[in-house]
Amino acid sequence: MPRPARKPAAATKPLLKPPVRIGNLDTAALVGELRQLHEEAEDENIGRMPADEELFGALLYLEAHTGALKTEKTQHRAALVRVMLWEYLREQADLHQAKAIENARAAGAEWTDLAPVLAVNAPSAAYNKAKRMKAAVLTAGSRGDVPVRRTPEAVREAEERAAARAAAERRAEEEAARRHALLAPVAQRLLEHRTGLDDDDEVSFWLDQIEALLPSCRTPTQLVSLGTYVEAVVREVRKKERITGRPGASTADARSALLGAAELMTV
């Protein structure tokens, strides 16, 4: 019985498995290792080898002078490292070429201009090739999302997701700034009048937390923590009032600061 034909995956369907990638490498250290092998083999031309940081030039030298290595063990190791470094360069090429294309487009280049430098014959082919490269960029910055399929349709969807995520982050930052404008003065007033509040270990603890965080409180996470600390001060003072039957603030300024904090926590 003939095997049923496999249906092609939808152009926008995410990849089920992430591609295996070399990822980050200390390329200078690896090139340095290969340099050491050639020096130990007394490669008479080693002085002409480019610096360890010049990866492409160093690989070309090592390829041309592989015969300088005398033992099978060193040849085996050097060849494997060279394969890995070329694969690393291949991975980096899409990332950096995609950025170059973005720069060219931002500078007014049309797809007709990009077609010959991308080694394709038509503007539409240049556009599609650029989108496929962009898939590598989006996958590299996906923060754990599924890898992006190398199709224009999948790239467009990934770009839309990235734009939505960036917009959400901007909204969070704006909300954090608004919250900080309201919360920071309230927290500062609690610290300024803590002597009218601070005769309880729990109250003292939360005021100390506010004092430590307030000078550097900027990020949404820090603002959430600051709000938690202010709320805890109000909670502990009110708790003390219920237990003792006495006001939790001993001065008018402290009472005003506490009232302001309590009101903000209900907003």
Side-chain angles (χ1 to χ4, degrees):
M1 179 181 295
R3 181 178 298 176
R6 297 176 64 181
K7 294 182 179 179
T12 59
K13 183 179 179 181
L15 297 176
L16 297 179
K17 294 182 180 179
V20 178
R21 297 178 64 84
I22 294 294
N24 294 326
L25 282 182
D26 186 346
T27 58
L30 289 169
V31 172
E33 177 189 342
L34 299 184
R35 182 188 300 278
Q36 181 68 26
L37 293 179
H38 278 254
E39 289 176 346
E40 291 172 354
E42 299 181 350
D43 179 354
E44 61 183 20
N45 297 305
I46 191 64
R48 294 162 51 191
M49 180 176 169
D52 295 351
E53 292 76 17
E54 298 177 24
L55 179 55
F56 185 77
L59 282 171
L60 292 180
Y61 174 89
L62 293 165
E63 179 182 284
H65 295 83
T66 185
L69 300 177
K70 303 299 192 296
T71 69
E72 183 177 346
K73 180 179 179 181
T74 56
Q75 291 171 359
H76 179 270
R77 172 58 183 169
L80 288 179
V81 173
R82 282 170 45 221
V83 170
M84 180 168 56
L85 289 171
W86 280 118
E87 182 61 27
Y88 172 81
L89 274 179
R90 187 191 306 277
E91 291 177 5
Q92 298 306 305
D94 277 355
L95 298 176
H96 293 288
Q97 192 173 20
K99 292 176 183 177
I101 292 169
E102 287 182 0
N103 294 153
R105 293 286 291 163
E110 301 292 340
W111 292 113
T112 52
D113 303 319
L114 285 161
V117 295
L118 284 172
V120 294
N121 296 322
S124 60
Y127 172 83
N128 289 333
K129 187 171 184 178
K131 287 298 182 183
R132 289 193 296 272
M133 290 176 190
K134 190 66 180 290
V137 178
L138 291 169
T139 296
S142 63
R143 307 179 189 179
D145 292 351
V146 291
V148 179
R149 190 175 291 278
R150 293 171 68 94
T151 66
E153 297 86 352
V155 170
R156 280 194 294 271
E157 281 204 357
E159 287 176 326
E160 290 171 0
R161 289 196 301 270
R165 183 165 54 227
E169 289 175 353
R170 285 194 299 272
R171 289 193 297 271
E173 290 171 358
E174 291 167 0
E175 175 60 21
R178 186 192 69 81
R179 187 73 174 166
H180 183 269
L182 296 173
L183 186 57
V186 169
Q188 184 61 45
R189 287 198 69 204
L190 288 174
L191 294 179
E192 290 171 356
H193 303 294
R194 67 180 298 168
T195 54
L197 302 168
D198 191 3
D199 59 352
D200 178 272
D201 287 344
E202 289 298 322
V203 176
S204 295
F205 172 80
W206 292 114
L207 287 170
D208 288 344
Q209 297 301 306
I210 293 173
E211 187 173 23
L213 178 60
L214 188 57
S216 61
C217 184
R218 292 294 181 271
T219 69
T221 300
Q222 290 172 327
L223 284 166
V224 169
S225 297
L226 183 60
T228 299
Y229 301 157
V230 169
E231 185 177 12
V233 170
V234 175
R235 182 183 66 244
E236 293 301 326
V237 171
R238 297 306 189 208
K239 179 180 175 182
K240 179 181 175 184
E241 289 177 336
R242 290 193 300 271
I243 293 173
T244 65
R246 299 193 303 272
S250 60
T251 67
D253 286 337
R255 286 193 294 274
S256 176
L258 185 64
L259 180 60
E263 290 178 347
L264 181 61
M265 291 301 101
T266 62
V267 175

